[in-house]
Amino acid sequence: MTIELTGRVAREKIKLLEPPRLDADTLAQFEALGDASSAVSDALDALGVGGAVSGSVLRCIMPRARLVGTALTLRNAARDGDPHQLAQAKDSRMGEIECHNLARPGDVLVIQGVSGASNMGSVGGRMGKRQGERGAIVDGAVRDVPDFQDINYPIWSKEVTPMTGKWRVECVEINGPVKICGIDVHPGDLVVADGAGVCFVPRQHIAAVLAFAQKKVQAEADKCAEIDSGKSIVEMARR
């Protein structure tokens, strides 16, 4: 499928117009797990794969939010030069708008971002919401939090700031590999996020992670039912 670009970002910075996306059934099965980041993290541990980031590092702007989706990636870098002079020249080099233009339902915008300046604002969030994005993960700062809350667009980010990134941030690449809090993420990877944190699952491990997480969630539900039924701790421990 050919997508018309906005022209805001040089074409050579867009690595893939269509990243590999997960099928709706797989996403639905992960969603059925509920707050699944802990089970997914355990699955990644069992596979020897690093992919979990604490919720105290990437904090969600919305209480009790969760998401499951396919990674659509953006890599930003800090700009050189005086931001006030760049503002007067109206010289913006952000590429967030191109990501929203490429987005499809079920995508999660994953940004290797910049500290101290916003990598994403409310207008972009409204575009993303209309395109069907589930939300965003930002290793860096965002702003306009009340606006994102109003449209129910959850974001997990390191920072919140009032300062625009238009004159402080520039797009390096879209739909290439990014590093989020030390974790390598590729376009098309699975993203699972809730109040406990964020997990990134490489595509080749998604089936195994799902099978493990489903058993883990069911086992814990069974244990909770036993506790609620009054079964003794000694009996449960012997099992």
Side-chain angles (χ1 to χ4, degrees):
M1 177 180 179
T2 301
I3 299 174
E4 182 181 3
L5 305 180
T6 69
R8 290 288 296 275
V9 175
R11 187 177 293 269
E12 61 268 17
K13 291 187 177 182
I14 301 176
K15 195 166 188 178
L16 293 170
L17 284 179
E18 286 291 341
R21 290 187 166 93
L22 300 172
D23 62 273
D25 181 63
T26 297
L27 295 179
Q29 290 187 73
F30 273 99
E31 288 174 340
L33 298 175
D35 289 348
S37 69
S38 295
V40 171
S41 177
D42 288 353
L44 292 170
D45 282 346
L47 292 169
V49 178
V53 182
S54 167
S56 61
V57 175
L58 290 173
R59 297 179 180 273
C60 187
I61 63 170
M62 296 166 56
R64 300 194 64 81
R66 65 177 182 236
L67 64 73
V68 173
T70 306
L72 173 66
T73 61
L74 166 64
R75 182 160 58 97
N76 285 335
R79 290 189 65 176
D80 294 326
D82 184 335
H84 302 121
Q85 292 180 359
L86 295 171
Q88 291 172 355
K90 296 183 174 7
D91 182 9
S92 174
R93 297 183 185 176
M94 293 188 72
E96 175 205 350
I97 188 173
E98 204 67 81
C99 292
H100 301 309
N101 182 47
L102 299 174
R104 293 292 176 265
D107 284 352
V108 177
L109 182 53
V110 179
I111 303 177
Q112 179 181 331
V114 172
S115 297
S118 176
N119 296 266
M120 188 173 183
S122 61
V123 172
R126 193 168 292 273
M127 291 178 183
K129 180 76 174 181
R130 187 198 68 184
Q131 297 290 89
E133 291 174 22
R134 301 288 178 89
I137 313 295
V138 184
D139 187 348
V142 299
R143 69 177 189 171
D144 303 332
V145 167
D147 293 331
F148 287 117
Q149 293 171 335
D150 286 345
I151 65 170
N152 192 29
Y153 186 100
I155 299 176
W156 283 254
S157 69
K158 272 188 173 178
E159 304 172 16
V160 174
T161 180
M163 290 190 293
T164 182
K166 287 181 179 179
W167 331 120
R168 299 173 174 89
V169 173
E170 66 177 325
C171 170
V172 176
E173 186 178 41
I174 294 171
N175 281 335
V178 295
K179 193 174 286 289
I180 306 297
C181 301
I183 304 296
D184 291 325
V185 182
H186 294 82
D189 286 351
L190 174 71
V191 185
V192 176
D194 55 35
V198 180
C199 292
F200 302 102
V201 183
R203 288 184 66 82
Q204 67 269 31
H205 296 300
I206 289 173
V209 167
L210 177 59
F212 184 105
Q214 287 173 328
K215 291 179 181 178
K216 177 78 172 181
V217 168
Q218 185 60 55
E220 293 197 351
D222 292 344
K223 290 177 183 176
C224 289
E226 290 180 346
I227 294 169
D228 294 342
S229 72
K231 186 165 288 190
S232 75
I233 295 175
V234 172
E235 185 179 0
M236 291 178 63
R238 285 175 178 167
R239 289 183 57 197

